[in-house]
């Protein structure tokens, strides 16, 4: 499941929505994040808690600022300036750590995105990094390894994702469980000896987090998930 990002904007010449699952458009607008033109897929990665503002430009304003690229309208997204980020191949947002770790032979170009908000003197920077032609699997590995979730500052900005457990009389969470949850950016809620009345409700909530974990980290996390997690085995069968 894509990051929960609900924003409905109706424009005169086109309409679109950024919903819980995907962006739906009649005519594709131009997407701009921190003054960098990006692909639609990147918008779906943005957690709403790190967004400072969203501005819609259309008609003359869009054409005047972006030329023919803005003929279908423009969505300008500005992120909170509390993190340095990398826009990778205009498709993904990653941790700034990627800049120091990536093989320089695979970098086509890299630059600091500059405008009135983001300059090279600013403490928090937006950096555009484009790789040379590499396999999609390798690009996906970079995205996951250096995702924003690996940055503790980012995790403080977003709302905790919760996974619900069917507990027992004694506490079932261990130190290893807490470390596992922290590693993947969620928290456990243990119902203890009082089971929830609406099992399906919490299984559905958990399934949304499972989908997010799969999209963000692949499937490795599944090996460490507690057996008492509501709906986990049922979700795996549907996967």
């Amino acid at each position: 499941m894509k990051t929960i990002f609900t924003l409905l904007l109706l424009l005169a010449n086109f309409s679109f929505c950024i919903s819980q699952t995907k962006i739906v458009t009649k005519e594709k607008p131009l997407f701009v994040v921190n003054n960098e033109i990006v692909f639609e897929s990147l918008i779906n990665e943005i957690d709403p808690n790190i967004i400072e503002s969203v501005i819609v430009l259309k008609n003359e304003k869009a054409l005047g600022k972006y030329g023919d690229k803005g003929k279908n309208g423009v969505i300008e997204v500005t992120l909170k300036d509390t993190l340095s980020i990398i826009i990778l191949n205009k498709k993904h947002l990653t941790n700034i750590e990627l800049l120091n770790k990536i093989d320089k032979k695979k970098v086509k170009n890299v630059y600091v995105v500059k405008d009135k908000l983001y300059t090279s003197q600013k403490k928090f920077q937006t950096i555009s990094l484009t790789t040379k032609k590499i396999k999609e699997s390798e690009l996906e590995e970079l995205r996951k390894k250096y995702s924003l979730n690996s940055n503790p500052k980012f995790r403080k900005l977003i709302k905790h994702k919760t996974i619900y457990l069917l507990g027992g009389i004694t506490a079932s969470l261990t130190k290893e469980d807490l470390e596992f949850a922290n590693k993947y950016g969620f928290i456990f809620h243990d119902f203890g000896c009082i089971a929830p009345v609406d099992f399906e409700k919490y299984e559905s909530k958990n399934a949304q987090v499972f989908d997010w974990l799969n999209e963000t980290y692949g499937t490795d996390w599944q090996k460490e998930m507690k057996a008492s997690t509501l709906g986990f085995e049922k979700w795996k069968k549907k996967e």
Side-chain angles (χ1 to χ4, degrees):
M1 176 182 175
K2 299 294 184 184
T3 304
I4 300 175
F5 180 12
T6 305
L7 176 63
L8 181 63
L9 301 169
L10 298 177
L11 305 181
N13 295 333
F14 68 95
S15 66
F16 64 95
C17 70
I18 304 174
S19 69
Q20 290 186 340
T21 56
K22 62 181 178 179
I23 296 175
V24 180
T25 66
K26 292 181 178 178
E27 295 180 34
K28 299 291 185 181
L30 183 70
F31 295 98
V32 180
V33 174
N34 286 5
N35 208 41
E36 181 80 348
I37 296 173
V38 300
F39 289 104
E40 178 182 315
S41 59
L42 184 144
I43 299 296
N44 284 318
E45 289 188 7
I46 301 176
D47 190 287
N49 295 283
I50 68 170
I51 293 175
E52 183 68 33
S53 66
V54 177
I55 297 175
V56 176
L57 300 178
K58 57 182 180 178
N59 302 330
E60 292 80 6
K61 289 186 177 180
L63 290 169
K65 188 170 183 178
Y66 293 95
D68 192 55
K69 291 180 180 179
K71 65 182 180 181
N72 292 326
V74 181
I75 313 303
E76 293 183 335
V77 179
T78 300
L79 305 180
K80 295 177 180 178
D81 61 352
T82 52
L83 290 173
S84 289
I85 62 168
I86 288 178
I87 295 176
L88 176 61
N89 287 1
K90 302 186 186 297
K91 292 182 178 181
H92 306 294
L93 290 180
T94 71
N95 194 332
I96 195 70
E97 185 183 2
L98 172 63
L99 190 61
N100 297 320
K101 300 296 184 179
I102 191 170
D103 184 348
K104 300 302 185 291
K105 294 179 181 179
K106 296 180 179 180
V107 175
K108 183 177 180 180
N109 61 60
V110 58
Y111 57 87
V112 176
V113 179
K114 297 182 180 180
D115 67 3
K116 63 182 180 180
L117 294 176
Y118 295 85
T119 68
S120 58
Q121 287 75 42
K122 198 169 181 64
K123 182 178 179 181
F124 302 104
Q125 299 177 347
T126 297
I127 295 174
S128 177
L129 189 153
T130 304
T131 64
K132 295 177 181 177
K133 190 173 182 179
I134 60 176
K135 293 181 180 179
E136 194 63 32
S137 58
E138 187 175 353
L139 181 63
E140 181 66 10
E141 185 179 345
L142 288 173
R143 182 188 75 83
K144 290 179 178 179
K145 187 174 182 179
Y146 299 103
S147 70
L148 288 183
N149 286 291
S150 63
N151 187 331
K153 291 183 179 179
F154 172 78
R155 291 203 293 268
K156 288 181 180 179
L157 289 174
I158 65 174
K159 295 178 180 178
H160 281 296
K161 293 177 173 62
T162 303
I163 287 182
Y164 298 91
L165 304 176
L166 184 61
I169 297 175
T170 59
S172 63
L173 288 175
T174 65
K175 178 182 176 182
E176 288 73 21
D177 292 330
L178 298 178
E179 290 175 348
F180 165 58
N182 184 60
K183 175 182 176 181
Y184 289 104
F186 66 88
I187 60 175
F188 280 121
H189 176 85
D190 189 342
F191 282 105
C193 58
I194 303 177
V197 176
D198 191 350
F199 273 85
E200 290 186 356
K201 173 183 176 181
Y202 292 101
E203 287 180 345
S204 177
K205 287 177 177 290
N206 279 354
Q208 293 177 9
V209 182
F210 300 154
D211 288 338
W212 171 79
L213 285 168
N214 251 16
E215 289 192 1
T216 306
Y217 299 105
T219 59
D220 287 349
W221 62 272
Q222 295 182 26
K223 302 172 184 176
E224 302 178 64
M225 185 57 66
K226 292 181 71 66
S228 58
T229 303
L230 287 169
F232 182 51
E233 294 302 323
K234 183 188 296 185
W235 174 84
K236 283 201 299 184
K237 291 178 181 178
K238 291 181 179 179
E239 189 187 6

